[in-house]
Amino acid sequence: MKVGRVLGVEVKVNRYFLLLLVAYTATGYLAAVLVMYGAALLHEIAHAVVAHSYGLQIEEIELLPFGGIARIRDLDLSTLNPQVEGTVALAGPAENLALAAVAWILAGHGVWNVSLAGLFLQANLALAVFNLLPALPLDGGRLLRAYLARSISWRQATDITARLGQALGAVLICLGLVLMRHGFLFINTAVLGAFLWATATAERRWAGLVFLRFLTRKKHGLQSGEVLKGEPLVVASDTELRYVLEKFITGRYHLICVLDKDHKIMAIISED
């Protein structure tokens, strides 16, 4: 359901989010939940603003029962640029930490009600800490992938961080099911875990296709005058292509030197 626009970006509310609000209203936690989701919205807006500064198009922001998501066009391709991915990923948690600091300062000077400021501070700290966990699709996972992609291939970095995301999702599913003994609303933890597991699994499944799209875009960039550093790779003639692709590093143009059984150069092949 559409609820408005923020900085020109359409904001939607998932229908199940509305049901969750009804449930929290019945249990007396409405105020705390509204503060939490307000912080989540500001978190996604921070992602959107930084992504827009890199020329990426933000399609919409949606509030889900377990948080929010900023849908950014061609975000999958931007992840192959470690600087862009790292900066966009860091924007959300950094904004939450900044807002937590502001709430603490205002409450300390009596400008803001201590109770409400405390809720706002806790919500922002919780969002920052959780999102910085090093597992895809969380911001911490994207930061870790951006760091790893500087020294190993993007596909290897994706596989590592996506596996961590699957593990975190499985833990949250189990935790949510156990905690449901103390209250049905803990099902939200299990749903969040299922979402993380499914999204991390999709990241692993589609990594190959995303990388091929990136290679095509890189070729167009070179044709338009872009300059890239070269990266030589040396392989045996019987090496499978998938093992060669796993060694490709983002931001480089690779030249593959193919050797025969006597270790003599048979050919030098470009990415094309």
Side-chain angles (χ1 to χ4, degrees):
M1 181 179 72
K2 300 177 184 178
V3 295
R5 303 181 74 86
V6 176
L7 300 178
V9 179
E10 187 175 273
V11 178
K12 296 173 61 178
V13 172
N14 186 278
R15 57 185 177 182
Y16 296 109
F17 171 77
L18 299 177
L19 293 176
L20 191 68
L21 286 184
V22 173
Y24 277 118
T25 301
T27 55
Y29 290 107
L30 180 62
V33 170
L34 288 178
V35 171
M36 174 63 78
Y37 282 101
L41 177 60
L42 293 173
H43 176 103
E44 298 304 330
I45 290 174
H47 284 311
V49 169
V50 175
H52 181 72
S53 71
Y54 279 105
L56 298 174
Q57 183 177 346
I58 296 80
E59 296 179 340
E60 65 181 17
I61 295 174
E62 183 176 9
L63 289 179
L64 304 169
F66 42 79
I69 182 171
R71 294 191 171 87
I72 302 172
R73 182 172 297 176
D74 286 338
L75 178 63
D76 55 348
L77 293 178
S78 71
T79 63
L80 285 120
N81 183 324
Q83 180 181 349
V84 174
E85 175 167 46
T87 307
V88 173
L90 187 59
E95 180 263 0
N96 288 132
L97 292 174
L99 288 178
V102 170
W104 181 74
I105 293 171
L106 293 179
H109 287 79
V111 178
W112 199 357
N113 177 274
V114 174
S115 177
L116 182 58
L119 279 176
F120 191 71
L121 187 150
Q122 292 174 20
N124 279 283
L125 286 180
L127 281 170
V129 170
F130 180 74
N131 276 282
L132 285 174
L133 293 176
L136 281 177
L138 299 177
D139 298 327
R142 299 190 181 281
L143 286 168
L144 178 59
R145 177 168 64 183
Y147 173 77
L148 293 176
R150 296 178 185 275
S151 55
I152 63 175
S153 74
W154 179 84
R155 292 189 64 180
Q156 289 174 312
T158 297
D159 191 65
I160 291 170
T161 49
R163 285 180 184 274
L164 291 172
Q166 289 175 313
L168 177 60
V171 169
L172 289 177
I173 291 172
C174 294
L175 181 62
L177 294 176
V178 170
L179 291 177
M180 279 178 62
R181 298 178 180 179
H182 305 286
F184 181 73
L185 289 179
F186 283 108
I187 191 176
N188 214 30
T189 303
V191 172
L192 172 58
F195 173 79
L196 291 179
W197 188 89
T199 307
T201 300
E203 290 269 5
R204 291 186 63 199
R205 180 185 300 121
W206 294 107
L209 178 60
V210 172
F211 194 72
L212 290 176
R213 289 181 61 202
F214 173 72
L215 292 179
T216 301
R217 175 168 290 192
K218 183 163 57 172
K219 178 181 177 181
H220 293 158
L222 288 169
Q223 291 174 343
S224 62
E226 184 179 350
V227 178
L228 295 175
K229 291 183 179 180
E231 183 75 17
L233 295 175
V234 181
V235 301
S237 59
D238 57 352
T239 302
E240 293 184 26
L241 179 60
R242 61 190 179 97
Y243 294 123
V244 178
L245 291 176
E246 286 178 357
K247 298 298 182 181
F248 278 23
I249 300 175
T250 59
R252 305 288 178 88
Y253 188 85
H254 299 82
L255 296 171
I256 302 96
C257 182
V258 184
L259 305 181
D260 62 18
K261 294 181 180 180
D262 297 322
H263 292 176
K264 295 181 179 179
I265 297 176
M266 294 177 56
I268 297 178
I269 305 172
S270 69
E271 288 186 8
D272 299 336

